[in-house]
Amino acid sequence: MIFRLAGKKLWIFSFLAEALLAVSCASAPKTVLSKEVHDIYEPEDSGIAIAVDNTGQKKNKDYPFFFKIDQQIMNLIENGSPDSLKKAYMEIKAIDDTSEDQIKILYYIEASIMQMVWPSERFDVEVPALSSQNAYSGAINSAREQIYDMSTGNGDFLAVVLPSLVVTQTSDVSSFFADSQSALKKALEKAPDSVLVNYLLGVLYTKHGEPKKALGFFERAWRGAAENKETNLAYLTCLYECDRYAEANSLLGTAMIRFPQEISFNKLKARVAFAAGDYVTAEDNINRVLQKDPNDLDSFLFRARILVEKEDYIHAASLLDVYARQDSSSKEYLLLRSRLQLDWSHNIPAVMETVSQALVNYPGDKDVLLFAAKVSNVTGMDINGKSADEYAEAVLAKSPGDKEGVQYAIEGLVRRKMWDKAYGYSSAFIKLDNISREMLLKHIEICLALGKNDEAWNTVVPIYKKDAKNEDVLQAYINVLSSIGKTSEAMSLINELLSSAPSKMKSYLYYRRSILQSRESDKLSDLRSSIIAYPRNSDALFSLYEVYYKKQDYRKAQYYLKQVVALRPNDAEIISLNEKLSAYLK
């Protein structure tokens, strides 16, 4: 016979057979009906099924089912840390009758939490067999099957929390996220310091792609169970995912001493060091991982990534060749392979092929879209018929504030001379914090193209005052001086810099001075000096083409234009001019 307490009433129901109740539940990754509730209860009652002894008396008003268990023991279980669960177990053992269903079910709950949430902890408990299923064990068993069981109701703390054990068993929490979040926050109202609930909430938010929301919960769980591997790894990983590298690195030292055999901390140390630009430490830690587990493909590929950043391309290429024997289609592999092809071998056709494959394998993936945008900007070529800004805007559609996406969109639009649209992005972008000098200079270029000379001047002056010796800043400053009519100041600065400038900068200075010259002979002289200083200055070569084309010396014009084509093989405008001139000269 099964009983249920509802307020001050005792409702008694007898069952001839089990009722199969279809109860809505959320599951991941598949939809499965939740476990059956073994009672019937009134609509206003949201409790769970309980069994009551003949006396009907209870010591614990918060837990009608566990009425014989002191609330202090239940508080330990509510805390849910490994130490609290072990202490609760020892105190339960002191209770006389361990054959009671209450005791058996508490053992089952404790053992299940330890197995599912704290698997690194030793908890050598022989759990007695349950004579029948009940709501608590049903919720746990559903969680093991990746089902969020909504049938427990919210009659007590454990009934609210246990269904959320499912977050430790699946990577996809989307189908039950709202229900689990609501239940766990309700549980925190009763036990705000519960290590178990804080940890489960952190896992829930992390798997929902919200590490910043997870961080506070992981920190509280870690502070309540600092000796536990799972709380340490979760909190430190979350710090890393929230870009708080210094804090993560500081705490990793203690964690690695506390857990010397756990290579997961070496893996995390490698990633934190890599993110901070410390490639030596990153490589040292990932090598330790590979010494213990040579077959760890993720770490093997991460080592190749470190070598690419160190520009040790030969060894990186060898590692990628070995990795490709096991997997040549993973996202990380394709992105690293294309990096080598772009930065090392400069094999543009191969880069295009590899990036195209990544786009096919991982359509809509943020990392792939951003890299495709980068490659398009660097090469000046569309990929699969799309430009850099189109790939970047696909990222921005989902993540409007993504700085890298905005940067690539601006660069792509500038390359295509879509100045108005580029200005829309750029004018908003430069108002953000910690904007790179490169993007500020790009904004100046856009302003000059649109005739917004005052804005260009107001932007370049603070940069020039801060770093007047930087060549890019100097060039931008001279460009703006020329555009706003301060010709004499621009000419004076150019003449001052020419004597000590390195060859590439000297080429730029001669080119800019040629623009300011009023006589054609002086202009030609400066352009020739520019080419002598740096023969690959495509701007100077194009200016020579324009001079000779205007003089109708088409052969000389073509000579210089062909050199521009060789330097800018993907510039559609230049190619078109060359084709027209070639056709005219036939």
Side-chain angles (χ1 to χ4, degrees), residues 330-478:
S330 77
K331 182 181 78 172
E332 288 296 329
Y333 167 79
L334 291 171
L335 292 179
L336 282 175
R337 177 64 74 186
S338 56
R339 278 277 307 275
L340 283 178
Q341 292 164 341
L342 182 68
D343 298 338
W344 181 40
S345 61
H346 306 293
N347 189 339
I348 302 304
V351 174
M352 293 298 173
E353 183 179 351
T354 307
V355 175
S356 295
Q357 186 62 52
L359 288 165
V360 170
N361 290 1
Y362 305 95
D365 181 88
K366 177 181 175 180
D367 294 332
V368 173
L369 291 170
L370 287 174
F371 193 75
K374 176 182 178 180
V375 170
S376 178
N377 280 331
V378 171
T379 63
M381 298 172 66
D382 290 350
I383 303 174
N384 292 353
K386 291 184 178 181
S387 62
D389 50 285
E390 289 174 311
Y391 285 116
E393 286 175 340
V395 172
L396 295 174
K398 295 181 180 179
S399 306
D402 188 276
K403 284 188 176 182
E404 197 174 1
V406 175
Q407 177 180 331
Y408 290 149
I410 293 169
E411 291 173 354
L413 291 166
V414 167
R415 180 172 66 85
R416 295 205 290 159
K417 295 182 172 57
M418 298 178 68
W419 304 109
D420 287 319
K421 194 172 183 181
Y423 178 79
Y425 278 117
S426 186
S427 57
F429 190 64
I430 64 168
K431 294 175 184 176
L432 302 176
D433 294 330
N434 301 318
I435 298 304
S436 68
R437 181 175 59 203
E438 176 189 3
M439 294 311 296
L440 288 170
L441 297 179
K442 188 68 68 176
H443 182 69
I444 293 168
E445 179 185 353
I446 294 167
C447 288
L448 292 178
L450 292 172
K452 298 179 181 290
N453 295 336
D454 289 342
E455 185 173 350
W457 175 251
N458 291 332
T459 305
V460 78
V461 168
I463 306 173
Y464 178 71
K465 287 181 178 179
K466 184 177 180 180
D467 194 3
K469 293 184 178 181
N470 180 272
E471 290 186 5
D472 293 330
V473 172
L474 277 169
Q475 290 183 19
Y477 185 65
I478 292 169

Side-chain angles (χ1 to χ4, degrees), residues 182-219:
S182 176
L184 291 173
K185 286 190 172 181
K186 179 180 175 66
L188 275 187
E189 293 175 6
K190 182 179 187 303
D193 295 325
S194 169
V195 171
L196 173 63
V197 177
N198 277 293
Y199 180 79
L200 292 178
L201 261 171
V203 175
L204 180 70
Y205 280 120
T206 296
K207 292 184 176 181
H208 198 245
E210 300 179 274
K212 289 183 179 179
K213 288 186 177 180
L215 187 60
F217 297 109
F218 278 143
E219 182 179 6

